[in-house]
Amino acid sequence: MDVNTAAKKPVMLSGIKPSGELTLGSYVGAIRNWAERADDYDCYYFMADLHAITVRQKPADLRRRTIEQLAQYIACGLDPEKNTLFIQSHVHEHAELGWVLNCYAMFGELSRMTQFKDKSAKNAENINGGLFTYPSLMAADILLYQPDYVPVGEDQKQHVELTRDIANRFNGVYGETFKIPQSFVPKIGARVMSLVDPTRKMSKSEDEDPGRIILMDKPEDIMRRFKRAVTDSEAEVRYDPEKKPGISNLMTIYAAATGRSFAEIEAEFAGHGYGDFKTKVGEAVVELLRPIREKTEEILKDKAYLESVYTDGARRAQYIARKTLDKVYRKVGFVRH
Ligand code: ATP
Ligand code: LTN
């Protein structure tokens, strides 16, 4: 792709940590939104391996998952010819700008981040500096590419807000440097909840959570998980996230998988029991994920192809990232050589 021509389109950027298997939540909350927009935007999507090590990872697993995640991005419809797909640690400008932005992110605002509080509670024995300054690195990931939109799930909106604050603060001191990006959250599926605890987000790093559907799950596992999904004691398929979180979550998933509205779903299942509904949701998810799983398995067989994708992606990403970092280094007063 000619970088100069592409730069005229609005820019989209996002990333996911290779900290676990991608879930149905990662797909409908994020990746699906990325894949639909390749023709109209200049898109950058990466595997956030630098972010993944804020929680302890087994090196071999991290390496394997990073490559698998790339194969899954492609299987979900991200064409590497049209989108720049890369591994975060291959573009060292992320770490460098991350350091600079740390000096413009305030202790108080970093302390208020919900993800930091959640992860600290879950990893009480490893509340490290990286976990705390995670949002400054995420701000760097974003601002290096001067994007217009950052497509993410609901839980990441707060980090994108902080990125805007940091960018505005920096621009205020040094003049126009960064474009102020906007988060882009899907209307349906911005927060897919666990099937066994619909008050908690479906999360990829909680391996043993039976309420989690991963993209590589076999049809029989998907069906089993949906059959065991937590519902309520009524027998009415009705959208009410406060009073009926389990059913509302299943409706969200069904809506995301079939494109039907909540009213249509309520009408479709009026007078039916929950068992019937759960089976239908399970079947819809099986069909949604089947092509992704099959394509991923196929792509993973060709390691040389995957290597060529991430090598080319890093080159294209770095071309843009370097320009922004240079500008920042000049503005803050570093001697250039
Ligand atoms: P971890 O458990 O390792 O913290 P995660 O499952 O929360 O990871 P992320 O890497 O944080 O996944 O998220 C990747 C992207 O997918 C983000 O844009 C996030 O908002 C979105 N996302 C993750 N889980 C869900 C979910 N359950 N529903 C909707 N979107 C989600
Ligand atoms: N923090 C995000 C992953 C992430 C990201 C980014 C998302 C890292 N850098 C830049 C969008 C843009 C997460 O935990 N899901």
Side-chain angles (χ1 to χ4, degrees), residues 1 70 73-74 77-85 305 308-310 312-313 316:
M1 185 174 55
L70 174 61
Y73 280 6
I74 301 169
L78 297 176
D79 177 351
E81 298 288 319
K82 294 188 185 161
N83 302 274
T84 299
L85 308 181
Y305 167 67
S308 73
V309 169
Y310 67 65
D312 190 47
R316 274 154 42 183

Side-chain angles (χ1 to χ4, degrees), residues 16-17 19 25 29 119 152-153 155 189-190 192 201-205:
I16 299 185
K17 295 166 282 179
S19 53
K119 297 270 174 201
V152 285
D155 61 303
V192 176
K201 191 184 81 149
M202 185 184 282
S203 173
K204 74 170 134 57
S205 60

Side-chain angles (χ1 to χ4, degrees), residues 14-31 34 115 119 122 134 151-157 189-194 201-206:
S14 197
I16 299 185
K17 295 166 282 179
S19 53
E21 308 292 330
L22 293 183
T23 69
L24 180 62
S26 338
Y27 179 61
V28 297
I31 308 174
W34 310 352
Q115 181 167 311
K119 297 270 174 201
K122 279 190 198 144
Y134 181 114
V152 285
E154 185 74 40
D155 61 303
Q156 294 301 314
K157 254 171 95 172
R191 199 172 178 81
V192 176
M193 311 308 270
S194 160
K201 191 184 81 149
M202 185 184 282
S203 173
K204 74 170 134 57
S205 60
E206 282 160 45

Side-chain angles (χ1 to χ4, degrees), residues 201-238:
K201 191 184 81 149
M202 185 184 282
S203 173
K204 74 170 134 57
S205 60
E206 282 160 45
D207 288 348
E208 67 295 352
D209 179 3
R212 194 180 70 133
I213 303 287
I214 62 170
L215 298 188
M216 302 310 279
D217 270 339
K218 298 269 183 302
E220 54 275 22
D221 297 325
I222 297 177
M223 291 310 292
R224 190 165 28 83
R225 295 228 168 85
F226 275 101
K227 286 198 175 126
R228 291 190 191 153
V230 165
T231 51
D232 52 57
S233 55
E234 298 179 2
E236 192 190 2
V237 175
R238 177 167 52 84

Side-chain angles (χ1 to χ4, degrees), residues 13-17 46 48 51 88 115 134 137-138 141-142 150-152 155-156 159-160:
L13 166 136
S14 197
I16 299 185
K17 295 166 282 179
F46 60 96
H51 278 102
Q88 186 186 25
Q115 181 167 311
Y134 181 114
L137 179 59
M138 177 158 163
D141 299 338
I142 297 172
V150 182
V152 285
D155 61 303
Q156 294 301 314
H159 286 157
V160 180

Side-chain angles (χ1 to χ4, degrees), residues 56-333:
R56 199 74 76 224
Q57 305 289 336
K58 287 200 186 108
D61 287 349
L62 181 59
R63 207 170 287 125
R64 174 184 53 78
R65 280 201 226 103
T66 305
I67 298 295
E68 279 176 11
Q69 197 170 305
L70 174 61
Q72 288 178 322
Y73 280 6
I74 301 169
C76 286
L78 297 176
D79 177 351
E81 298 288 319
K82 294 188 185 161
N83 302 274
T84 299
L85 308 181
F86 67 101
I87 297 173
Q88 186 186 25
S89 64
H90 289 181
V91 183
H92 56 75
E93 285 78 359
H94 288 242
E96 292 178 65
L97 184 62
W99 170 255
V100 174
L101 296 184
N102 253 330
C103 304
Y104 299 84
M106 298 299 137
F107 183 86
E109 56 195 5
L110 291 171
S111 315
R112 284 192 291 276
M113 292 296 112
T114 310
Q115 181 167 311
F116 171 65
K117 291 189 221 162
D118 286 354
K119 297 270 174 201
S120 307
K122 279 190 198 144
N123 301 283
E125 74 302 334
N126 185 22
I127 307 177
N128 59 69
L131 201 58
F132 186 65
T133 58
Y134 181 114
S136 319
L137 179 59
M138 177 158 163
D141 299 338
I142 297 172
L143 298 174
L144 276 174
Y145 300 89
Q146 312 277 3
D148 298 86
Y149 300 103
V150 182
V152 285
E154 185 74 40
D155 61 303
Q156 294 301 314
K157 254 171 95 172
Q158 194 186 29
H159 286 157
V160 180
E161 284 304 312
L162 179 58
T163 299
R164 291 162 60 91
D165 292 343
I166 294 173
N168 275 319
R169 185 172 297 140
F170 193 97
N171 287 351
V173 178
Y174 301 101
E176 232 24 56
T177 309
F178 298 122
K179 182 173 245 172
I180 309 300
Q182 268 179 39
S183 56
F184 181 85
V185 176
K187 287 204 178 69
I188 303 280
R191 199 172 178 81
V192 176
M193 311 308 270
S194 160
L195 300 183
V196 292
D197 179 359
T199 59
R200 274 196 6 238
K201 191 184 81 149
M202 185 184 282
S203 173
K204 74 170 134 57
S205 60
E206 282 160 45
D207 288 348
E208 67 295 352
D209 179 3
R212 194 180 70 133
I213 303 287
I214 62 170
L215 298 188
M216 302 310 279
D217 270 339
K218 298 269 183 302
E220 54 275 22
D221 297 325
I222 297 177
M223 291 310 292
R224 190 165 28 83
R225 295 228 168 85
F226 275 101
K227 286 198 175 126
R228 291 190 191 153
V230 165
T231 51
D232 52 57
S233 55
E234 298 179 2
E236 192 190 2
V237 175
R238 177 167 52 84
Y239 189 74
D240 183 345
E242 293 280 301
K243 297 204 188 92
K244 296 166 75 69
I247 287 295
S248 303
N249 187 39
L250 292 176
M251 287 179 72
T252 299
I253 293 172
Y254 194 59
T258 61
R260 279 173 221 170
S261 68
F262 291 146
E264 284 167 337
I265 299 170
E266 285 172 359
E268 182 180 349
F269 293 99
H272 291 241
Y274 284 166
D276 199 14
F277 177 51
K278 288 185 193 178
T279 305
K280 283 279 168 40
V281 183
E283 286 169 357
V285 170
V286 165
E287 291 320 314
L288 181 72
L289 301 187
R290 188 193 302 281
I292 298 174
R293 176 170 50 86
E294 290 175 354
K295 187 111 198 271
T296 302
E297 282 164 357
E298 194 187 305
I299 297 170
L300 275 173
K301 289 185 195 139
D302 194 347
K303 294 283 184 294
Y305 167 67
L306 288 166
E307 191 179 326
S308 73
V309 169
Y310 67 65
T311 305
D312 190 47
R315 185 184 55 74
R316 274 154 42 183
Q318 192 163 39
Y319 176 83
I320 305 292
R322 189 179 295 151
K323 285 202 224 178
T324 306
L325 187 70
D326 255 352
K327 189 157 131 190
V328 168
Y329 276 4
R330 266 187 280 112
K331 294 228 177 187
V332 297

